[in-house]
Structures are given as C-alpha cells and as structure tokens.
Amino acid sequence: MRHAVTRTRTATTVATMLLSILLSACAGTASRSLDSPRAPTTDISAVTAIDPGSKLSAGWQHGAFIEIFVRAWRDSDGDGIGDLRGVTQSLDYLRDLGIKGIWLLPITQSADHDHGYAVTDFRTLEPAYGTLADFDELVREAHARGIGVIMDYVINHSATSHPLFVEAASRTSPDRDWYIWKEPAPTGWEIWGKNPWHGSSGGTYYGTFGPHMPDFNLENPAVIDYHRDSLKFWLNRGLDGFRFDAVSHLIERSATDWRDQPESFALMGRVNALMGSYKHRYMVCEGTANPISWAAPDACRSAFAFGLQYHIADAARGKPEAIRAVADYFTTAPMTMATMMSNHDFFAGERLWDQVNGSTAQYRLAAASYLLLPGTPFIYYGEEIGMAGVSELKGDIKLRTPMSWTADASGSGAFTTGKPFRPVSPNAATQNVRAALADPNSILSFYKAMLHLRNTLPSIARGSYEHPAVDGSVMSYQRKFEGDHTLVVINYGTAAAMAKIAALPIGATLVAAYPATALASTADAKGAASIAIDAQSVRVFSVRR
C-alpha cells in the first residue's frame, strides 16, 4: 500500500538511519564513494496533471536535438561546474545552429554529483546546477526561440542513499517491496560479466548497474505511481518531454530473462499514454539490445538507433557493405527512430572526431548521413565543432569534458572563469566555437548548412524514405512530404563519380539545395538523371515537376 502520499516521506527511527549507514558500508566501494550524507526525506506526494499547453508547434521534435551534459556545457558563476544558467546563456548559439530540441543529461539531485544517474531525489535539481527558477527560465527562454527541452529520467533505479531505498532496506519496512530483495542470494546471474545481486546488512538486493544503484521494483503499483507523479511534476512546469534511461532493464524474470521483457514494453506504453495527455510532448527511449522494438507505437514510439552509428562511421570511411547498410536501414526501421553518431556512453562509440581520426572530409560525410536521413537526429554537445575526447581519461569520462567555447590560454576553453572540473578537449586550440564561427569552411558551418536543410525542407524533417540506391561508393535516396520532394546524393568515395538516379518524375527539374553552386539537372522521359558529384561530397536537390 502507498503511504503518506500527500506529505514528505521521512525515516522515523534512529535505527533506520543507522541501517542506512551500515548499508552504505556493506554495498561496496562504489556506494561508499558515491553516497553523501543527507536527511533521509523525499517528496512522494501525488501530483495532478495540469497541462500548461505548449509554446512549440506540432512536429517540433522532427528537428535536430543537441544532447547537453549540463556540468560540462557552460559555467555561469565561475565555480568550474556548468549550470542551467550557462545553458540559458547559450540559447542564441543553439538557435543559430538550427537546433530545435535540447536533451539535458540528468539534472535531478544525485549521489554521484557528476553523471547524475544515481538519483537521490526525482523532483529536486542537483544544487550545483541551479534552482527551479533557473530551470523555469531555461524552458521559457528556449520556447521563445522555438526550442524544446527534454530531460533524462532514470526510471529503472535510484541511488542507495535515496530515502526510499534507505527505508526499504529495513527488513520490517512496510515499503520493503519498493526495491527487489531476495533471500538467499540468487545464483547463476551474470550481466555484463558481473553479478547483479548485492549483499548488505539490509539483505540482498538487485542492481543492474552496480551496488550503488539498486533497481526499483517496477511491478509494485506504488512505485509506478511515484514515477508517474514525478513525471507530471516536470511536465506541469512546461518541460517538453523525457529521454528514458535503460528501459530494457525495467522488469527481470530470471538469470536469462532480464532484458526486454513484455512487461517492460507494456510499462513504457503506459508512460507513452501519459505523455500523450500533454500537448506536443516527446519521449525517446534507450533500449540498447533491440532498439527498433522500443520504437513501436505501443511502447516508446521513439528509440535510439543503436548500431546505425557504426555503419555510418564505416560508410564515411568508404566501406561498401556499410554504405549499403546505411541505405537499407530505414527501409525496415520506423521513421521515428532517433539517430546519432555518439553520446555520453562509451559503448555507443568514441567522439566522432576520434572515430574518423580527425578527417574533416569523413566527418562531414558522417554528419550529412544522419542529419539528412529520417528520424530525429541527436547531436552530442561539441560534435558540431569537432571536439575530441580526452585520451588520458578512461571510459565514459573521456566523453564528458568541458565544452570548447574558445582557445582560452588558461586551459578552460572559456567554459568557466574558474578551474574546470575536468580537463578540456585536446584539440580545443583549433576546434572551438569562436574559431568555427569565424570560418565559413568549419565543421560548424557545415552543421548549420545541414540543419538549415532540415529546417526549411519539410521532406528532410518529416518525409518518406524512397528509392534508396547504392552504386559503387555513391548512395542516393528520395524524400517526400506534402508536395515537397528532395533528392539526397552522397559520394563516400575518394574519387569523383557520376551518380545515376532512377524513379524521378518524368521531366522533373533538379534544383540545387546544397551546395547552391551545384548544377541543375533534368530527368528524362524514363525518370532518370545523371549527376556529377565530387569525391567525398554531398548533394541535395529539390525535385520540381
């Protein structure tokens, strides 16, 4: 039964607080290093859905998003840590780039005080990032520029120091089943080479991502209610949606059936229905093993296209089988997939600069490949200027470094006036925003050009995907939406080519959309045309009858 739903949850005994300390001591090194002392309280009150409406037009989510790690984006107060005001101060930059949506990595209060996935309060901001007033200002100012804002939501787990887990760790707690406990400890389990069952003074609990982040029991209706109310808390403030973390792991059945269970899909379908009760909201899910399944209308509707980014990188390097894989992807994948070249997790790939070893020609090919395809593209912050990862750092951390705004001599890259919390990108001296803005041939200028196509040609943002073809190193396809018709041609090869295009309207004129200097062409009586295309280049045409 759900308890105290209209007031703050508080641990009621000294014994429970002592148990929390013992639990942290027994949950492993990660827990001891991540958890920080705080009063064991949290708001679990019921929240009534009150839709404030939307300042954004229908279909806004078909534009490009940028994924921002707030801690690393821009520091407004000189403490070396990025904050929400820093994001607000950068909105004009994002608007001019052509961004239509912002995905904020976790900004709720966390035990790790860094990546944010060890959540300690789902309705409170991480203090270093600012206040709810700062959040409201960011959303308001983003909307004024036609930009939506979504945030990461960690539905699968919390931190061990979350007050709900502290309370559940008592063997006599009426809310014991908010988390997953088993006695004796199960055997035979292994996830990514590790046992997900963790012993503590409070018993053995399940934590897919380690002892410091125990999984919620998402078969408990009270837990579902708590998450639904927490989602409504943010939606009621005008937030435009969520990226849901780790949806593959919501429900676990056994040592073999611990991923992508039918009940997990059904649960996210219910979340999807909640989102649909608010105007013009958007959700996207991280389902790593079977991403296409998670994009189903009765599940998340949109999910990240994990795997496609590797084909795109290989295509940019000129590998024939990868070019074919890119051309074929959206012949079967839903048009609602979310595309990317990298993100905050190392398993998704190095930063794009490192994937192509600094080849700007290959970089542009990769960018054009996913920014012009169907789906919703997500640009990882710094990708638009060619930021590199920090090689001396390991794993995810090397991808989560301060944004390179300038080639600042202090080493901060103008991310902060103080000391940055982490080393800056090794190529910040050349690949930074200030230098890119002054260079018409920069990577940033190319991204602006690609996003301009997406923002001005409805067929690129929302159109069908038709007649994909591969001829040698040249890929082509057509896109259509409500009378707007475009042709995209990409030459991944290192030699110029003559692209042979079929299935065009008879006698159609191909008018250059990118680059503007490209020669126009005309389809013949069979709907065919030949287009000369330089090595490692992109051509986009408006098809006019």
Side-chain angles (χ1 to χ4, degrees), residues 295-308:
D298 58 351
C300 296
R301 193 174 297 276
S302 182
F304 285 97
F306 289 106
L308 176 60

Side-chain angles (χ1 to χ4, degrees), residues 132-485:
L132 284 174
D134 296 329
F135 172 85
D136 292 340
E137 180 185 20
L138 169 59
V139 172
R140 182 172 59 251
E141 292 298 324
H143 288 170
R145 293 162 175 81
I147 299 174
V149 181
I150 70 173
M151 61 184 273
D152 229 313
Y153 192 89
V154 189
I155 195 170
N156 181 70
H157 54 264
S158 74
T160 52
S161 57
H162 194 297
L164 294 173
F165 184 76
V166 172
E167 185 168 341
S170 169
R171 297 175 189 270
T172 60
S173 170
D175 296 317
R176 176 79 165 173
D177 64 347
W178 276 61
Y179 293 83
I180 303 168
W181 305 86
K182 292 288 186 182
E183 298 295 346
T187 59
W189 287 69
E190 182 177 301
I191 298 178
W192 307 306
K194 297 180 180 180
N195 182 2
W197 292 96
H198 310 288
S200 73
S201 60
T204 300
Y205 62 91
Y206 185 85
T208 303
F209 296 95
H212 56 301
M213 293 191 286
D215 282 33
F216 281 108
N217 175 13
L218 290 168
E219 293 184 292
N220 180 346
V223 176
I224 300 300
D225 286 345
Y226 168 65
H227 280 303
R228 284 176 59 87
D229 288 329
S230 296
L231 295 174
K232 287 185 284 187
F233 174 86
W234 296 106
L235 292 170
N236 287 357
R237 300 192 80 92
L239 186 73
D240 300 294
F242 298 92
R243 177 265 191 185
F244 288 97
D245 180 65
V247 296
S248 294
H249 307 286
L250 303 181
I251 305 293
E252 302 83 12
R253 286 282 166 234
S254 68
T256 55
D257 300 320
W258 52 266
R259 180 167 59 192
D260 293 330
Q261 296 304 295
E263 296 87 348
S264 297
F265 287 97
L267 172 57
M268 292 313 298
R270 291 162 60 190
V271 172
N272 192 345
L274 170 65
M275 297 291 294
S277 68
Y278 287 78
K279 187 177 182 180
H280 296 168
R281 299 309 203 268
Y282 171 68
M283 63 181 280
V284 59
C285 291
E286 180 200 36
T288 53
N290 299 292
I292 288 177
S293 298
W294 284 102
D298 58 351
C300 296
R301 193 174 297 276
S302 182
F304 285 97
F306 289 106
L308 176 60
Q309 77 272 28
Y310 298 127
H311 293 311
I312 291 175
D314 282 342
R317 290 188 279 265
K319 295 184 178 181
E321 66 278 8
I323 298 171
R324 172 56 67 181
V326 173
D328 289 347
Y329 185 81
F330 278 102
T331 60
T332 56
M335 307 289 278
T336 55
M337 299 301 292
T339 56
M340 62 178 183
M341 284 309 302
S342 67
N343 66 18
H344 60 287
D345 284 323
F346 191 71
F347 78 80
E350 300 264 12
R351 278 193 170 273
L352 181 52
W353 182 269
D354 300 311
Q355 291 185 52
V356 299
N357 296 315
S359 167
T360 55
Q362 292 179 6
Y363 204 109
R364 288 178 170 84
L365 290 171
S369 296
Y370 87 103
L371 295 177
L372 300 178
L373 280 171
T376 297
F378 280 75
I379 299 167
Y380 189 42
Y381 79 96
E383 177 193 313
E384 77 279 11
I385 57 171
M387 268 180 63
V390 179
S391 58
E392 62 263 30
L393 300 177
K394 302 300 180 184
D396 298 338
I397 302 303
K398 69 185 296 185
L399 309 175
R400 305 175 186 179
T401 56
M403 177 68 174
S404 300
W405 292 99
T406 70
D408 191 277
S410 70
S412 71
F415 155 74
T416 180
T417 56
K419 181 181 179 181
F421 74 98
R422 189 167 288 158
V424 300
S425 176
N427 66 352
T430 57
Q431 305 305 125
N432 62 76
V433 173
R434 180 178 293 174
L437 288 172
D439 181 3
N441 296 313
S442 67
I443 289 173
L444 180 64
S445 294
F446 184 79
Y447 271 70
K448 284 186 175 183
M450 294 299 101
L451 296 186
H452 178 74
L453 292 173
R454 192 170 195 93
N455 293 335
T456 57
L457 297 175
S459 56
I460 295 295
R462 307 179 67 175
S464 59
Y465 183 69
E466 302 180 16
H467 311 297
V470 175
D471 182 10
S473 295
V474 178
M475 177 180 75
S476 64
Y477 54 86
Q478 298 176 49
R479 305 197 60 192
K480 300 176 184 177
F481 183 79
E482 294 184 350
D484 187 53
H485 185 178

